[in-house]
Amino acid sequence: MKKIILVASSAIILSGINACKEVGPSIDLTPVVVDTSFHERAFDTTYTEAVPAADSKKVLVEEYTGVQCTNCPDGAQILKTYEESHPGSIIIAGLHAGSLTDPVEGESKYNFQNSDVLNMINSYFGENPPKPAAAIDRVKQGSEYFITTRVAWPSYIDQRRALASPVNIDLTSKYDSTHNKVVVKVKVVYTASISVKQHLSVWVLEDNLVDVQLYPDHHDPNYVHNHVFRDFLTPVIGASILDTVDTKLPGRVYERTFIYTPKSSEWNLDNCRIVAFVHNSESADKAVAQVAEVKVKE
């Protein structure tokens, strides 16, 4: 196996983080070029192994929301109800960007806005829908990714859950409090042949943030905001997976490790999660193949 560590200075940091050392199966493959400009440390490797059984398909729901969006609590409740009745089947990311996301003057404790999220929605998706809206596994319904008819969200989720996933994702996260580093390892295993280009996206979300939320007829100062997007570990559009491999055959493994410093001391890392998903990266096909999540302090 050839492993590439693209930042020479990483050996200095890695010496203090034992979890980063790993030895993969021996196989000689063309090195995979990794763009690490987006974060301080990242490295990857690829090899083959026995083809595993495909895991059940989980669905990524990107919820476009805001603290001043009076109908957004209803949308959040629809997703919460679905999540409770289908545990482990969906992973929700709350995207606070654009209109109706300004903190409520004199009431808000937090500012959930994220300009990188707005850039992703405007440039990557090419749309900026009214809130609440949800993208279900990045599959277009009609001409749009983001669905504003919230009562239709469960049926679209059901459609995606019924599909077989061509990849399994094994995701781990370890927090090193001494260095304030999070070591995230993503293992992608192909269970079916894939010939389209794909990207890996890894995000940080935070739950249990109690703050004001506007409703049509009142302000709730004790609203619990969950799934709040905090940061990208990969570029906004994701990091490419095996670009030099035309067809990813069953049994192909792609592993990527990130060493990440949380951006804000205000985050409660006990309430933070890492979400990783593999998605197609063709101009007309951005569908999510599989998604996984793990607590930052697993």
Side-chain angles (χ1 to χ4, degrees):
M1 175 196 73
K2 292 183 179 179
K3 177 173 293 185
I4 308 302
I5 300 181
L6 297 181
V7 182
S9 61
S10 62
I12 299 172
I13 293 180
L14 291 177
S15 65
I17 306 178
N18 294 330
C20 296
K21 298 177 181 177
E22 61 173 309
V23 177
S26 57
I27 186 167
D28 187 12
L29 293 167
T30 302
V32 180
V33 178
V34 181
D35 172 13
T36 57
S37 60
F38 49 92
H39 260 300
E40 55 186 301
R41 302 289 181 268
F43 58 92
D44 68 354
T45 186
T46 183
Y47 53 91
T48 59
E49 65 179 26
V51 182
D55 292 337
S56 298
K57 177 74 175 76
K58 294 185 178 181
V59 179
L60 175 67
V61 180
E62 293 168 276
E63 177 192 11
Y64 200 35
T65 187
V67 299
Q68 296 202 40
C69 167
T70 58
N71 289 322
C72 284
D74 181 63
Q77 184 59 51
I78 289 172
L79 295 176
K80 180 180 179 181
T81 299
Y82 190 97
E83 189 176 32
E84 290 173 346
S85 59
H86 303 83
S89 64
I90 64 173
I91 295 176
I92 305 164
L95 308 181
H96 294 252
S99 63
L100 304 178
T101 60
D102 289 327
V104 181
E105 187 174 355
E107 298 184 60
S108 291
K109 294 182 293 184
Y110 303 103
N111 183 351
F112 300 141
Q113 292 175 315
N114 191 294
S115 58
D116 288 334
V117 168
L118 185 59
N119 176 47
M120 177 183 70
I121 291 172
N122 286 332
S123 61
Y124 184 71
F125 290 105
E127 53 191 66
N128 193 352
K131 301 178 179 68
I136 311 298
D137 255 354
R138 298 190 169 181
V139 174
K140 277 188 175 182
Q141 303 299 333
S143 61
E144 306 293 336
Y145 290 102
F146 283 91
I147 305 161
T148 56
T149 306
R150 51 191 181 273
V151 294
W153 295 347
S155 64
Y156 291 129
I157 295 171
D158 286 340
Q159 291 174 23
R160 294 296 298 173
R161 286 182 57 222
L163 301 178
S165 172
V167 300
N168 293 346
I169 300 177
D170 181 28
L171 179 64
T172 64
S173 174
K174 300 295 182 184
Y175 178 62
D176 181 352
S177 58
T178 301
H179 301 86
N180 189 31
K181 303 289 183 185
V182 181
V183 180
V184 176
K185 294 187 178 183
V186 186
K187 178 181 179 182
V188 176
V189 186
Y190 285 88
T191 61
S193 294
I194 292 293
S195 56
V196 299
K197 292 185 180 298
Q198 291 189 315
H199 281 180
L200 169 68
S201 287
V202 183
W203 296 355
V204 183
L205 309 180
E206 186 173 1
D207 295 318
N208 300 319
L209 288 155
V210 179
D211 205 356
V212 66
Q213 172 66 49
L214 273 57
Y215 280 78
D217 56 354
H218 70 286
H219 294 195
D220 181 357
N222 297 309
Y223 186 87
V224 180
H225 297 265
N226 288 314
H227 328 292
V228 176
F229 180 93
R230 286 306 202 182
D231 198 12
F232 294 93
L233 270 67
T234 50
V236 170
I237 64 170
S240 61
I241 299 177
L242 300 172
D243 265 356
T244 59
V245 179
D246 292 335
T247 300
K248 279 78 73 176
L249 297 174
R252 168 64 60 202
V253 178
Y254 174 79
E255 292 186 358
R256 192 170 188 127
T257 299
F258 302 86
I259 302 175
Y260 171 71
T261 303
K263 279 190 174 178
S264 175
S265 60
E266 294 182 357
W267 300 352
N268 183 345
L269 294 182
D270 291 324
N271 293 332
C272 287
R273 292 177 287 129
I274 301 293
V275 170
F277 56 101
V278 173
H279 49 105
N280 298 341
S281 58
E282 305 285 353
S283 60
D285 181 5
K286 304 182 188 303
V288 174
Q290 185 62 292
V291 57
E293 65 180 350
V294 67
K295 292 181 178 179
V296 164
K297 292 184 175 182
E298 186 68 358

